[in-house]
C-alpha cells in the first residue's frame, strides 16, 4: 500500500465538483503522459523511462471557488515542474534493485513527492509527501481583530449597531438593549417603520445617530481569506523474511491548518445574537501501521496493529460579543483523542472450489481532554468526559463453486461500538446567558436559575449483526443471473442513562436483489438489476428524556411529588402531551394539569431544559424510521461498428416512509448517463456524453403553537384566512390547528453535456491535439405548502372598527437556486526530438449562480446576525500553461 495518498472530499454540489475538475484539467500536465503518447517498444517495456517537465502558467483572474482544490494561488503566474526518475539494475541481471522518485505539481500547493527503493523479493522502502490547499472563500469580511488566532476582539472604535427609531438604549449600557445588525444599512435606518401602528420616518437626530454608527463600524470590516491546507508525509517499509513471511510498517503524519467559517450564538443580551467568525484550524494526526503476513498454499494470515493520535492545538475559540463588546464568549474546539486497534485476517482454501475468509478486530478509542468551564456552566461534576469507546468486529465469508457456472457465497458480519463513557449530569446556561430566577429543581441542584439546562451526556452505542447470501449462475452462454439476500439487525443503546436513549432501540432491514446480465453477442452487453429493502423500527418518541434526567425529579409545586416522566407514562402520553385544543381542560390540581397546562406540551422548565426537544407524535427521523426502498439499475453497452461504441445507464430509486406523519416522508431519484465514442482511425477519438440526475424529496412538519385563552389583538378579534374566524377560536385550537401543518417539496436537478476530441500524428507525426468542453446546469427548488398566522401591526388602540386582528399567510416557494458552469480545455504537444517536446495548454472556466441564502449575509439582511458580506461565488478565469518536456532512458 502506498504510504501517501490524496483524498479529495466528495460533495454533491456540482458547483464544487465541476469547478474542481475543470481547474485540475489544465493547471499542470503529467509526465506519465509523455510515455503514453506512443506505442512502447520492447526495449521501452524493459527499460524504465525518466522524464522531467518544466514550465510556467498564468491565470487571468483570482477566484477561490475556481481554484478550490487546484493549489493555484490567485491571479498571475505559477510554476510547472514534474519529475519521474526510475532506475536500478538491468532487468536481465541477477540484481533486483529498483528505485523511483516521482515529483508532481511542485509549482502548486497540491505538490507531492514520493520515493521508493527496494530489492524485489527482499524489501521495499517508501517515502511520501503531499500537500493540498482548499480555498473556501475570498469574499468573507469581519470586523473582528485577531483572525488567525483563537482570540477575536472588536476594535476600540466599534459601536453597537442600532436602528435608532426602534431602540434608544445602547446594549453597552444594558444587556436588554436593542442591538440590531440591520442598523449597519443606511437603507434600513433611512426607511420608515411601523411604530404603534403608524408608519414613522426617522427624525433628523435619529438619522444622525445612525450615520455616526455606520461611519464608525462599516470601515472596520476587513477581508479575510478562508482556506485550509493539509500537509502530510509518511514512511513505510516492507520486508520479506522468506517467500511465505512478510513484515510491514508505516507511519503517517498529517498537519491541517487554516481558517473556516463557524457560526456562533450568544444569549448574553437576552436575545439570540449571532456572528460568523473565522475559526482557527491547527491540528495534527499521526497514524501507525504494523503488520505481519503469512502466505501459504492454502492458508493466508495477517496480524496487524493500527493506531492514530489526534491533537488539536486550538483548545478553544473566544470572541467579543458584537452586541455587548465587553462580554467575551468562549467555545471549546474538538478534543484530543486516540484510537488503537488489533486485527487478525485469514483466508483458507478448503478445497479447489471453496474458500473461507475471516477478519476479527478489537479497538479502543479514548478522549480525556479537560472540559471547558466558566460562569455559564455552574454544574460540571467531572473535569473530563473520560471518554472510552470499545470497538469489536468479526467478518466471515464462505465462497464456493460447487458446479460449473454456479458461484455461492455466504457472509456474516458483527460490528459493535460500545461507548463506555460515564454518564453525568451537567448544568449550564444557553450560550453565555445570564442566570435568571430560581430553578424548580433547586432542592436537588441549589443555586441554579430558572433558565438553567440540566442535561446528561448520552454514550451512544450500537451493535450490528448482518447475514448475506449470494448466488451467481450462468444460465446459458452469454447470460447470467445473480440473486442475493441480506438481513441486517441493529441494536442501539446507551450504558448508564436513566432511561432508553435512542429513538430506535431496535431495527431490522431485509433486502432482496436480483440481476440479469446478457453478453450473448460480442458487440452487445445488457445488465438489469432490481432490489427491494424493507426496514422496520421500534421507534421511541420519549427517548429524548435520557437527555433530561430532571424529568424523573419532582419540581417545586408538583402535586403529590409527581414527576414529568411518571405523569406522561401514567397517561400514555409523550412529551408533546394530549392531542387536544384548550378544551376539555384537565382536572384542576391534577398532575396532568400541572405538567400539561391547557393541554399543551410539557413545559421546558419542568424537565430542566430551555430548548424544546419533545417530539410531535408521528415524527420520525429518516435514518431511524420504517422505510421501503426500491432500486432499479440498468446499463447497455453497444459496439455499433468497429469505429462507434455507445453506452447508456439508468438508476432509479424510491424511498417511502409509510409510518412517518412528520419528517421525511418520501424520496426518489433518477440518474441517466449516455456517452458515445467514435474512432474513425488510430489517431482520432471523439466522445460525446450527457448526464442527468434528478432528486426529489418530501418532508412534513408542524409549526407548534401553544393553546391559550387570549381572545384579541389590540382589542380586535377577526382573522383573515386560516382555519378559524376569530382569535379566540384559533388560540383555543392552536395545538391541533391543521393550518399549522406544512409540507416541503424539494428538488435538485443537475444536467451535464460534454464533448472531448483527440487527434494525434499531425504535422508528420509531431503534433498531438486534444480538447474538451463541458456545460453543467444545476437547479434546486423548494416548494412549500401550509402557512402561519401573523398579527396585524395596525391592530392597535384607536384603529378603525373592523380592523383585522391577524392574517393567515400561506407559504410560498423559495426562489430557484441556479448554478451554470462551462469549462473548456485545449492542449497540444509538439515533439521536437524523440526525447524532447513542448506542451501548450489553455483552459477557460466560467461560473454564474443565484442563491438566496447569501442575501442574509449582506449588510441589512438580518437583525440578530452580524453580516459577513460574503458574495456568491462566480468566476470567469482563463489559464495558459507552456512547458518543456524531456525524457531519457
Amino acid at each position: 500500500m502506498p504510504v501517501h495518498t490524496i483524498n479529495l472530499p466528495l460533495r454533491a454540489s456540482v458547483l464544487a465538483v465541476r469547478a474542481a475538475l475543470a481547474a485540475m484539467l489544465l493547471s499542470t500536465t503529467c509526465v506519465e503522459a509523455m510515455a503514453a503518447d506512443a506505442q512502447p517498444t520492447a526495449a521501452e517495456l524493459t527499460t524504465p523511462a525518466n522524464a522531467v517537465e518544466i514550465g510556467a502558467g498564468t491565470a487571468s483572474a483570482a477566484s477561490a471557488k475556481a481554484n478550490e482544490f487546484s493549489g493555484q494561488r490567485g491571479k498571475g503566474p505559477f510554476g510547472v515542474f514534474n519529475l519521474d526518475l526510475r532506475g536500478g539494475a538491468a532487468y536481465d541481471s541477477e540484481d533486483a534493485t529498483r528505485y523511483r522518485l516521482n515529483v508532481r505539481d511542485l509549482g502548486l500547493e497540491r505538490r507531492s513527492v514520493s520515493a521508493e527503493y527496494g530489492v524485489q523479493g527482499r524489501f521495499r522502502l517508501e517515502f511520501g509527501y503531499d500537500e493540498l490547499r482548499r480555498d473556501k472563500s475570498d469574499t468573507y469580511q469581519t470586523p473582528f481583530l485577531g483572525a488567525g488566532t483563537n482570540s477575536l476582539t472588536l476594535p476600540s472604535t466599534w459601536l453597537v449597531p442600532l436602528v435608532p427609531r426602534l431602540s434608544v438604549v445602547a446594549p453597552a449600557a444594558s444587556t436588554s438593549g436593542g442591538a440590531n445588525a440591520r442598523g449597519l444599512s443606511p437603507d434600513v435606518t433611512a426607511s420608515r417603520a411601523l411604530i404603534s401602528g403608524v408608519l414613522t420616518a426617522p427624525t433628523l437626530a435619529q438619522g444622525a445617530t445612525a450615520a455616526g454608527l455606520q461611519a464608525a463600524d462599516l470601515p472596520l470590516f476587513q477581508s479575510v481569506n478562508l482556506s485550509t491546507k493539509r500537509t502530510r508525509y509518511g514512511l513505510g517499509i516492507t520486508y520479506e523474511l522468506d517467500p511465505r513471511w512478510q513484515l510491514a510498517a508505516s507511519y503517517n503524519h498529517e498537519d491541517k491548518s487554516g481558517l473556516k467559517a463557524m457560526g456562533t450564538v450568544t444569549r448574553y443580551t437576552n436575545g439570540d445574537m449571532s456572528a460568523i467568525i473565522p475559526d482557527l484550524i491547527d491540528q495534527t494526526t499521526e497514524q501507525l501501521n504494523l503488520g505481519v503476513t503469512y502466505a501459504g498454499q492454502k492458508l493466508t494470515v495477517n496480524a496487524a496493529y493500527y493506531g492514530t493520535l489526534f491533537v488539536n492545538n486550538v483548545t478553544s475559540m473566544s470572541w467579543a460579543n458584537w452586541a455587548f463588546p465587553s462580554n467575551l464568549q468562549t467555545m471549546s474546539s474538538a478534543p484530543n483523542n486516540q484510537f488503537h486497534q488489533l486485527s487478525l485476517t485469514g483466508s483458507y482454501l478448503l478445497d479447489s472450489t471453496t474458500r473461507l475468509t475471516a477478519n476479527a478486530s478489537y479497538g479502543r478509542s479514548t478522549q480525556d481532554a479537560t472540559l471547558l468551564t466558566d460562569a455559564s456552566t455552574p454544574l460540571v461534576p467531572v473535569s473530563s468526559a473520560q471518554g472510552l469507546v470499545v470497538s469489536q468486529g468479526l467478518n466471515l465469508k464462505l465462497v464456493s463453486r460447487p458446479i460449473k457456472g454456479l458461484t455461492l457465497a455466504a457472509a456474516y458480519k458483527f460490528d459493535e461500538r460500545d461507548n463506555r463513557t460515564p454518564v453525568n449530569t451537567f448544568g449550564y446556561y444557553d450560550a453565555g446567558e445570564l442566570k435568571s430566577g430560581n430553578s424548580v429543581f433547586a432542592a436537588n441542584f441549589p443555586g441554579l436559575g430558572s433558565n438553567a439546562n440540566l442535561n446528561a451526556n448520552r454514550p451512544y452505542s450500537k451493535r450490528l449483526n448482518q447475514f448475506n447470501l449470494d448466488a451467481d449462475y450462468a444460465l446459458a452462454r452469454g447470460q447470467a443471473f445473480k440473486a442475493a439476500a441480506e438481513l441486517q439487525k441493529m441494536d442501539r443503546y446507551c450504558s448508564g442513562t436513566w432511561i432508553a436513549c435512542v429513538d430506535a432501540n431496535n431495527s431490522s432491514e431485509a433486502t432482496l436483489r436480483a440481476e440479469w446480465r446478457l453478453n450473448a453477442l460480442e458487440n452487445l452487453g445488457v445488465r438489469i438489476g432490481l432490489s427491494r429493502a424493507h426496514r422496520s423500527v421500534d421507534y421511541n418518541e420519549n427517548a429524548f428524556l435520557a437527555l433530561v434526567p430532571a424529568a424523573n425529579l419532582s419540581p417545586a409545586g408538583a402535586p403529590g411529588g409527581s414527576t414529568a416522566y411518571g405523569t406522561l407514562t401514567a397517561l400514555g402520553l409523550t412529551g408533546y402531551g394530549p392531542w387536544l385544543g384548550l378544551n376539555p381542560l384537565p382536572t384542576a390540581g391534577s398532575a396532568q394539569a400541572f405538567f400539561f397546562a391547557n393541554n399543551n406540551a410539557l413545559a421546558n422548565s419542568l424537565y430542566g431544559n430551555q430548548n424544546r426537544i419533545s417530539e410531535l407524535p408521528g415524527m420520525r427521523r429518516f435514518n431511524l424510521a420504517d422505510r421501503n426502498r426500491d432500486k432499479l439499475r440498468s446499463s447497455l453497452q453497444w459496439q455499433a461498428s468497429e469505429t462507434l461504441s455507445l453506452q447508456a445507464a439508468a438508476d432509479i430509486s424510491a424511498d417511502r416512509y409509510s409510518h412517518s406523519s412528520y419528517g421525511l416522508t418520501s424520496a426518489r431519484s433518477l440518474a441517466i448517463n449516455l456517452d458515445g465514442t467514435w474512432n474513425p482511425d488510430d489517431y482520432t477519438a471523439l466522445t460525446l456524453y450527457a448526464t442527468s440526475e434528478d432528486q426529489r424529496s418530501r418532508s412534513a412538519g408542524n409549526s407548534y403553537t401553544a393553546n391559550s385563552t387570549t381572545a384579541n389583538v389590540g382589542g380586535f378579534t377577526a382573522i383573515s384566512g386560516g382555519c378559524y374566524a376569530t382569535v379566540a377560536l384559533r388560540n383555543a385550537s392552536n395545538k391541533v390547528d391543521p393550518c399549522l401543518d406544512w409540507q416541503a417539496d424539494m428538488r435538485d436537478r443537475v444536467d451535464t453535456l460534454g464533448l472531448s476530441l483527440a487527434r494525434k500524428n499531425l504535422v508528420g507525426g509531431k503534433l498531438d491535439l486534444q480538447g474538451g468542453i463541458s456545460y453543467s446546469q444545476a437547479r434546486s427548488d423548494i416548494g412549500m405548502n401550509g402557512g402561519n398566522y401573523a398579527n396585524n401591526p395596525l391592530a392597535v388602540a384607536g384603529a378603525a372598527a373592523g380592523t383585522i386582528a391577524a392574517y393567515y399567510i400561506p407559504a410560498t416557494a423559495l426562489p430557484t437556486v441556479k448554478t451554470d458552469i462551462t469549462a473548456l480545455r485545449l492542449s497540444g504537444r509538439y515533439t521536437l526530438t524523440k526525447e524532447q517536446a513542448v506542451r501548450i495548454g489553455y483552459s477557460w472556466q466560467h461560473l454564474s449562480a443565484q442563491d438566496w441564502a447569501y442575501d442574509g449575509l449582506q449588510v441589512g439582511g438580518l437583525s440578530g446576525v452580524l453580516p459577513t458580506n460574503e458574495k456568491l461565488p462566480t468566476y470567469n478565469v482563463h489559464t495558459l500553461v507552456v512547458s518543456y518536456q524531456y525524457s531519457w532512458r
Side-chain angles (χ1 to χ4, degrees):
M1 179 180 293
V3 297
H4 86 286
T5 57
I6 296 179
N7 297 312
L8 298 182
L10 296 178
R11 297 173 57 190
S13 169
V14 68
L15 177 66
V17 175
R18 287 292 173 185
L21 291 177
M24 295 170 65
L25 285 176
L26 184 68
S27 56
T28 61
T29 55
C30 301
V31 293
E32 286 85 348
M34 299 175 61
D37 286 333
Q39 293 298 321
T41 65
E44 291 170 338
L45 290 173
T46 57
T47 305
N50 301 288
V52 64
E53 181 178 22
I54 301 175
T58 184
S60 64
S63 171
K65 181 54 66 175
N67 297 312
E68 185 170 2
F69 295 108
S70 75
Q72 185 177 321
R73 295 294 302 275
K75 175 183 178 181
F78 58 89
V80 174
F81 183 83
N82 298 293
L83 176 66
D84 191 8
L85 295 178
R86 309 187 194 197
Y91 275 74
D92 54 359
S93 72
E94 296 183 359
D95 188 351
T97 302
R98 301 287 184 270
Y99 67 82
R100 182 179 184 182
L101 174 65
N102 188 273
V103 180
R104 298 282 300 275
D105 300 329
L106 196 62
L108 299 169
E109 287 194 78
R110 64 175 192 189
R111 57 186 61 90
S112 65
V113 178
S114 64
E116 297 180 15
Y117 177 83
V119 177
Q120 290 184 354
R122 293 182 58 190
F123 72 91
R124 184 172 71 250
L125 298 174
E126 297 175 284
F127 168 79
Y129 170 88
D130 65 72
E131 60 185 56
L132 179 65
R133 177 186 175 91
R134 181 190 181 189
D135 287 301
K136 178 62 177 174
S137 174
D138 52 7
T139 60
Y140 168 87
Q141 293 184 338
T142 181
F144 287 110
L145 303 176
T149 73
N150 70 333
S151 180
L152 305 175
T153 60
L154 287 166
S156 59
T157 56
W158 175 262
L159 299 179
V160 176
L162 303 168
V163 178
R165 66 186 180 281
L166 300 179
S167 175
V168 296
V169 180
S174 169
T175 56
S176 59
N180 189 332
R182 301 188 76 227
L184 293 170
S185 169
D187 292 335
V188 171
T189 56
S191 63
R192 294 185 297 171
L194 271 175
I195 300 177
S196 299
V198 178
L199 277 172
T200 306
T203 65
L204 290 176
Q206 291 169 342
T209 299
L213 291 170
Q214 293 156 8
D217 290 350
L218 291 178
L220 300 177
F221 282 80
Q222 57 186 322
S223 296
V224 175
N225 287 335
L226 301 179
S227 66
T228 56
K229 185 173 182 179
R230 188 217 65 210
T231 303
R232 179 166 51 192
Y233 62 82
L235 298 168
I237 181 172
T238 303
Y239 187 78
E240 309 283 345
L241 295 174
D242 60 37
R244 295 189 176 186
W245 288 92
Q246 181 188 85
L247 299 177
S250 67
Y251 168 77
N252 284 275
H253 178 97
E254 178 180 298
D255 294 313
K256 187 175 182 180
S257 60
L259 297 172
K260 66 177 180 65
M262 181 174 69
T264 65
V265 66
T266 177
R267 293 187 57 83
Y268 183 82
T269 51
N270 293 335
D272 291 329
M273 294 296 171
S274 177
I276 300 174
I277 66 172
D279 182 30
L280 178 63
I281 300 173
D282 183 5
Q283 50 194 229
T284 299
T285 303
E286 296 180 282
Q287 299 178 74
L288 177 64
N289 287 277
L290 301 173
V292 56
T293 301
Y294 169 82
Q297 290 185 345
K298 290 189 174 184
L299 175 66
T300 300
V301 179
N302 171 264
Y305 162 80
Y306 169 74
T308 180
L309 176 66
F310 171 79
V311 176
N312 191 346
N313 299 310
V314 182
T315 57
S316 64
M317 283 295 300
S318 297
W319 65 97
N321 182 353
W322 65 266
F324 201 94
S326 62
N327 172 243
L328 190 68
Q329 297 288 306
T330 303
M331 185 173 74
S332 62
S333 300
N336 300 343
N337 59 77
Q338 54 184 290
F339 175 72
H340 303 274
Q341 178 178 272
L342 296 174
S343 63
L344 183 64
T345 303
S347 175
Y348 185 71
L349 187 63
L350 298 174
D351 55 41
S352 60
T353 63
T354 306
R355 179 178 293 274
L356 174 67
T357 60
N359 169 264
S361 63
Y362 175 85
R364 292 172 65 90
S365 180
T366 57
Q367 187 270 101
D368 59 358
T370 302
L371 296 173
L372 183 67
T373 62
D374 60 16
S376 67
T377 53
L379 179 60
V380 182
V382 291
S383 60
S384 163
Q386 300 174 1
L388 171 61
V389 176
V390 175
S391 302
Q392 300 179 82
L394 175 64
N395 291 275
L396 299 172
K397 187 172 185 179
L398 182 67
V399 179
S400 180
R401 295 180 180 177
I403 59 175
K404 183 179 180 180
L406 176 64
T407 301
L408 300 175
Y412 168 72
K413 179 179 181 179
F414 172 81
D415 184 23
E416 182 179 56
R417 180 183 182 275
D418 185 10
N419 193 333
R420 301 179 185 180
T421 304
V423 176
N424 290 284
T425 299
F426 300 86
Y428 63 94
Y429 301 103
D430 273 350
E433 188 176 25
L434 294 173
K435 174 186 175 181
S436 175
N438 294 306
S439 171
V440 293
F441 299 104
N444 304 91
F445 302 98
L448 286 184
S450 59
N451 59 332
N453 297 279
L454 288 166
N455 289 170
N457 61 299
R458 292 167 290 180
Y460 287 112
S461 301
K462 65 177 183 179
R463 183 184 299 110
L464 170 70
N465 285 278
Q466 180 177 306
F467 301 88
N468 292 79
L469 293 174
D470 297 80
D472 197 329
Y473 182 63
L475 299 172
R477 183 175 180 180
Q479 290 192 67
F481 180 79
K482 183 177 181 179
E486 178 180 292
L487 177 61
Q488 186 181 95
K489 180 73 167 59
M490 181 75 76
D491 299 309
R492 302 176 180 88
Y493 59 95
C494 293
S495 299
T497 52
W498 72 278
I499 198 172
C501 70
V502 188
D503 295 307
N505 293 331
N506 304 292
S507 65
S508 60
E509 183 165 3
T511 305
L512 295 176
R513 299 184 181 90
E515 181 183 83
W516 173 70
R517 303 188 302 276
L518 173 66
N519 292 292
L521 303 174
E522 291 184 359
N523 63 343
L524 180 66
V526 179
R527 177 174 296 196
I528 299 176
L530 294 170
S531 69
R532 162 159 282 196
H534 172 71
R535 182 173 67 197
S536 58
V537 174
D538 179 17
Y539 202 86
N540 178 10
E541 291 172 336
N542 283 329
F544 78 94
L545 293 168
L547 176 68
V548 285
N552 201 34
L553 300 175
S554 181
S562 55
T563 66
Y565 174 67
T567 302
L568 64 86
T569 301
L571 298 173
L573 300 174
T574 69
Y576 188 71
W579 193 268
L580 293 171
L582 186 62
N583 296 306
L585 286 171
T587 304
S590 66
Q592 181 178 355
F594 179 84
F595 287 102
F596 301 103
N598 293 336
N599 293 322
N600 288 317
L602 187 63
N604 296 71
S605 62
L606 298 182
Y607 56 81
N609 200 79
Q610 293 307 298
N611 302 296
R612 178 155 303 286
I613 52 177
S614 55
E615 292 185 356
L616 288 164
M619 167 70 192
R620 300 288 186 268
R621 287 175 170 80
F622 75 93
N623 62 319
L624 300 174
D626 295 331
R627 184 196 66 198
N628 290 319
R629 167 172 287 177
D630 294 305
K631 286 186 176 183
L632 166 65
R633 292 183 174 179
S634 60
S635 64
L636 171 67
Q637 295 181 347
W638 180 33
Q639 188 70 41
S641 67
E642 290 185 358
T643 61
L644 179 64
S645 63
L646 302 172
Q647 295 84 35
D651 286 0
I652 303 174
S653 176
D655 293 349
R656 296 175 302 280
Y657 299 84
S658 56
H659 294 148
S660 297
S661 302
Y662 298 108
L664 182 63
T665 59
S666 66
R668 52 196 174 101
S669 66
L670 169 65
I672 299 175
N673 298 276
L674 303 171
D675 68 82
T677 301
W678 180 53
N679 299 100
D681 53 49
D682 292 339
Y683 308 111
T684 306
L686 173 66
T687 299
L688 295 172
Y689 61 90
T691 67
S692 179
E693 185 174 0
D694 192 348
Q695 296 184 343
R696 304 187 185 201
S697 63
R698 174 169 292 183
S699 300
N702 177 273
S703 303
Y704 170 76
T705 303
N707 300 321
S708 76
T709 57
T710 301
N712 65 83
V713 176
F716 299 95
T717 62
I719 292 180
S720 175
C723 293
Y724 300 95
T726 67
V727 172
L729 290 173
R730 180 200 66 181
N731 288 344
S733 304
N734 271 335
K735 194 180 178 189
V736 293
D737 186 349
C739 285
L740 294 179
D741 282 339
W742 57 262
Q743 190 175 79
D745 293 300
M746 292 169 279
R747 182 184 186 188
D748 294 303
R749 180 166 182 170
V750 181
D751 298 299
T752 301
L753 292 173
L755 175 151
S756 67
L757 175 64
R759 185 72 171 92
K760 295 184 178 182
N761 246 27
L762 298 170
V763 191
K766 291 180 175 293
L767 178 63
D768 295 340
L769 297 176
Q770 58 182 348
I773 186 169
S774 67
Y775 171 73
S776 295
Q777 174 183 279
R779 299 292 184 265
S780 295
D781 291 286
I782 302 179
M784 298 294 300
N785 294 309
N788 212 333
Y789 298 91
N791 289 340
N792 183 2
L794 300 179
V796 296
T803 296
I804 297 297
Y807 293 91
Y808 180 77
I809 303 177
T812 60
L814 292 168
T816 300
V817 177
K818 302 178 180 180
T819 303
D820 295 276
I821 297 178
T822 304
L824 172 67
R825 173 181 59 89
L826 301 171
S827 68
R829 182 175 182 272
Y830 185 79
T831 301
L832 301 173
T833 67
K834 183 178 180 180
E835 295 82 14
Q836 302 177 80
V838 174
R839 185 183 291 271
I840 299 177
Y842 165 79
S843 74
W844 171 59
Q845 303 170 72
H846 177 78
L847 179 147
S848 61
Q850 299 177 26
D851 191 340
W852 50 266
Y854 281 82
D855 294 344
L857 301 177
Q858 311 309 311
V859 168
L862 299 169
S863 61
V865 181
L866 191 67
T868 65
N869 301 319
E870 194 168 0
K871 301 300 187 291
L872 178 65
T874 58
Y875 54 76
N876 191 66
V877 181
H878 302 268
T879 305
L880 180 67
V881 173
V882 179
S883 65
Y884 166 78
Q885 300 175 332
Y886 180 76
S887 64
W888 71 98
R889 297 182 184 277

